[in-house]
Structures are given as structure tokens and as C-alpha cells.
Amino acid sequence: MNTTSALPGALLSIVILAAILTIPISFLLLSRYRKALIKGMGYVSRQFKTPAPEILPVQDNPRERGPEIKLIEAGSLVDDSSPVFFKLKETLGYHWFVYGFMCLAASLVSSYCYLEAMDAFSMWRLAYMCLTYFIPFLPISFLLMANGWKQILILSALLGFFIVGISYIIWAEAGSTLSYWETLKPIVYQSSIPMAIFFLLRLWWIRPVSLFLYSFFIFCCSGPLLFLFYVSSHPDVMEQLAYFFIDAGMGAHGVLALWVLIPLLISIPVGWLFLKVIRRWYLRKFINDLQLNADAVMILFTICYALIISFSGTGYALLSLLAFPAYKLTGYLLFYFLRRRKIRSNSPRLLLLRVFALAGDSRNFFARILKHWRYAGSVQLISGPDLAVDTIEPHELMAFVAGELKASFCEDAPSIEKKIQHCDQAMDLDSTHRVNEFFCRDNNWKFVLKQLLTVSDVVLMDLRRFSRNHAGCRFEIEALVQHVDLDQVVFVVDERTDLEFTREVFHQAFAGVDAANQNIQAGRVVRLYQIRNQRDGDVFRILNQLCLRLKSHE
């Protein structure tokens, strides 16, 4: 058997089978994880003895303390009046270019190996193949920049125009005998399989963990399939092994099952060890969720490109795997210089409060806010069923699989205070910040909220769909009025918010505090910013308002 021609098929089978396994298992794990969190949040912590701070409105208060409440259309605001927000958008652009250079470094390695394997090296061919192997920049751009299909289509159009334009210039200058459309075919077919796998793994429900789990299933599938490839390409070894098991009294199907099961039992611990290494790197801030997903994309494309190169030479195919180290080294060097360009001297902490019933709207809004805010500072939030899946981190998933999720919950007052004091505020290697999520019990979430209010620099409260059915948000509003300068809070509403009830809650909250309260003394105005769904411009304007609230903390 020609092992050179059989190896690409074996490796391609690993890539595809790992994706097939990842989709249903990711769905199952996230579904069970969400149910476990919701169940844990409904429990009462027996360790929590400190009573939650009750905020009771004063009835029949003779003094009028009702605040002035203004409803402001977010579309009427400017979106770039804050220098901090301008710097956030600028930094996101810098990161996009950094990932572009990282992908370019990887494409140079893959292109050189391909052309040397084909014995067809030339500068024009090198430029063309670099463009072909530059395609991973497209899905990485989706991870970095896009929220929703509209932005994916815009990015696809922009990068597609760039690739088509550059490839046409190369074709025209090189004087190729092929037609221009024939030269485009390699760009399409060499990236079609990894691109299809990427979109399958980025289905909205499973995307928080799919690429992370995909790397694990690559290990799991590699053991059995590579073993079967080896024995099938070495008939003498296969015959000796087969007769050994047959002499032991096993049938043909039993032998085949063992040949799959034994390598699988070996490869699963190896894959789990790999995940533990990733978890350790994640906790030590050597890598974050964005880098982890981008790295998984690059590994997927690098393997698929190596498969194509292996048809011309196995040695150069193995050498082309150095494209990933080149990608990482380039990123490390560029991010090192970018880290010296800090947004602010002290990283601000954003507390996100919201109506849990928002579900998909909450996830979409959170993703758009986080996309920019992570370059300024960290985000603190109390976990709920709306964002439980979207904010899951590698170590939390592994804790859940290992049955250790209970340890992540807030229990007694001292441990809660300790967790808040040790919130992750430091920058990662790529100068981004993380989300600090607090898993609370039914009887201690109010205490956690009060502690978070004392350490947060700015608060974003999403009151879309707020109504009489949301007692938790009512408590949060009362806590904000009592403990936080409302000039540091941005309230967001929409057409589904019960505005009359919202005004009533604010009036009662102001009536429930004494005259020395900072918001009473300053005569704070409550501004409710009304946004329209699916409008990026409104989100940008809300981000600008958050950045404007940081002036007093410069």
C-alpha cells in the first residue's frame, strides 16, 4: 500500500470525525452545565449567616425626593466624544492588524513548504500561495470583530474584495497561462473543509466551548485512526496482531473493536492532560479565551494545509506544521509592544446588571459591549441563566466535567469578600481583560451585589423588558440609589420596558434613603437611554457613555 497517499486520508478523517463528535457533545455538556448552574443558584447556602441588606422604601415620606427622570434616545447621542472610547476602538483595530501579521507569518511557512515540495519556487508563486494560506485570517476576524451575521457578511465582503484584488494583480504581473478564474480555485478548495468545520463549530449554542473541545477530540480520534492507518499500511504487523488476538479466542469483529478501544483509552488521558495544560496556562494568563479560539482555528487550517502538502512530500508536510509556532511567536512579539500602550493607568471595573429574562438579547448586547470594553478593564457580573453559557471559561468547564462545580459558588461572607478582593484585574498578554463571574446562592446574591457595588468604577444596568415581574432588578435599583453615585451608572431601556413602573421604582428608591445620601445631596438626574435592537450604533453610544463616566477616575 502507498502510505504516502493513505496518510492524508487518515488525517482528514481525524479532522472531520473530531468535528462530528464535538457538535453533539458540546451541546450536551452546555445544556447540563446550564441546568446545574440554575439548580445551584436555587439552593440556600447553609454557610451564609450574614443577613442580606434589605432596602425598604419609606412610606408616606412628607419630603419630596423624587428624582428627575429623563428618557433619552441613544440614537440622538454622539458615539465618539470620549477619548477613552476612541482609544478602545483604535486598540481593537490594532489587534486586528496584529492577528493579520500573525496569519501572514504562518502563511509564509506553509507557502514555502508547499512550493519546495512541488519544486516550483518563485517569488510570484510565493506571493500567490501566501494569499492562499492567508485565509485563516477571515474566521479569526469573525472571532475578533463580528457579532451576528450582518457583521460577518461585511467582513467577508471586505476581505474577499482584498483577496480577489491582490490575486488579480499577482496573476496579471506573473503572466500566467491559466485564466484568472482558474487561479482562484486553489484559494477556494484548499480552505473549504476547515472553513466549513469552523462554521459548524461556531453554531450559536455551542460556540463558547466548541473549539476548545474540538482540540480534545482531535487527540481522542488520532489514537484509533492513526493506529488503524499504521496496521493497514504494514500488512505483516497487521497479520501478526490479528493472529495473536484470534489465537486468544477472539473473532474478527472483536479484534477490530479492540484495535479501536485500546488506542482510544490511551489517547483520551493524553487529550485530558492537554486540556489541563491549557487550563493551567489560562489561569496563569498565558492565554485567554480569544487567543484560545483563534489558536484552534489556526491549528485546524494548518493541519488541513499540511494534508494537501503531504501529497507532494511527507517531510515538507511535517515541516509546514511550524506555521503555528511562527504564528504564535509573531503574536507574542507584537502583543508585547502593544501591552506598553495601556488605555488607562488603572483598569476600570464594569459591573453589569440586567434582567435575566432577556435571554438572546442579553447575550447579544453583552458580546457587543465586551468586544470593546475588554481593552479598557474587567467586567463583573452575577451569573444567571441568560449568560451562564456565554461566559463559561475553560477551567469552569473542566470543573463541571470533574464534578467540582460546587466549589465555584459563593457561600459564606468571608469567602465572598475574598473572591471579590481577588478579582482578576490584570491584563492578559494581549492587553485584554477578563470577565469575573460570581455564582451565587438564592440567599447570598444580595450580599454579593452590595460588595460588588463598593468596588466597581462604573455600572451598566440593562433594564430592557423590566416590569413588575422582576423583583431582583427592583432590589438592584434600590441598592444603586443607596450605595452608588448615579453619575457612574448607565441605565438602558427599550420599547418593552414598563417605563411607568420604572419611574415608580426610582421614586420609591429615592424616598427610602435619608437626606444625607449622595444622590439626594447632588440632585442626581436619572437618565434612561433607550436603544433599538440590532443597532450597533446604539451600542457604541452606550459604550461612549460608559467611558465618559470614567472621567472622575482618571
Side-chain angles (χ1 to χ4, degrees), residues 15-130:
V15 170
I16 295 176
L17 182 59
I20 294 173
L21 291 173
T22 299
I23 294 172
I25 294 179
S26 296
F27 182 87
L28 177 64
L29 275 178
L30 287 178
S31 178
R32 293 180 64 85
Y33 175 80
R34 186 173 185 272
K35 290 180 181 178
L37 279 183
I38 294 174
K39 185 178 180 180
M41 292 170 193
Y43 286 156
V44 172
S45 175
R46 296 181 180 179
Q47 302 176 37
F48 185 75
K49 303 300 181 182
T50 303
E54 293 294 336
I55 302 175
L56 300 175
V58 177
Q59 301 297 324
D60 301 323
N61 194 320
R63 291 180 296 177
E64 177 59 45
R65 296 179 186 170
E68 180 184 355
I69 299 177
K70 291 184 178 180
L71 182 63
I72 303 172
E73 283 284 344
S76 66
L77 303 171
V78 295
D79 65 353
D80 58 356
S81 60
S82 168
V84 176
F85 180 50
F86 175 78
K87 206 167 184 179
L88 289 182
K89 293 193 291 186
E90 190 179 54
T91 304
L92 177 59
Y94 286 157
H95 274 240
W96 189 58
F97 279 107
V98 166
Y99 277 104
F101 282 111
M102 293 166 66
C103 292
L104 181 60
S107 69
L108 281 170
V109 175
S110 297
S111 300
Y112 174 81
C113 293
Y114 176 82
L115 293 175
E116 287 296 325
M118 296 288 291
D119 195 20
F121 187 87
S122 73
M123 292 307 298
W124 285 117
R125 290 193 181 100
L126 179 64
Y128 174 77
M129 293 310 301
C130 278

Side-chain angles (χ1 to χ4, degrees), residues 14-32 193-218 221 300 389 397:
I14 294 172
V15 170
I16 295 176
L17 182 59
I20 294 173
L21 291 173
T22 299
I23 294 172
I25 294 179
S26 296
F27 182 87
L28 177 64
L29 275 178
L30 287 178
S31 178
R32 293 180 64 85
I193 292 178
M195 189 66 77
I197 292 174
F198 169 79
F199 278 110
L200 283 174
L201 297 180
R202 294 298 291 173
L203 294 173
W204 72 273
W205 179 256
I206 65 172
R207 62 186 177 188
V209 300
S210 57
L211 288 172
F212 179 62
L213 288 177
Y214 181 67
S215 61
F216 170 72
F217 285 112
I218 286 285
C221 296
L300 170 62
V389 170
L397 177 64

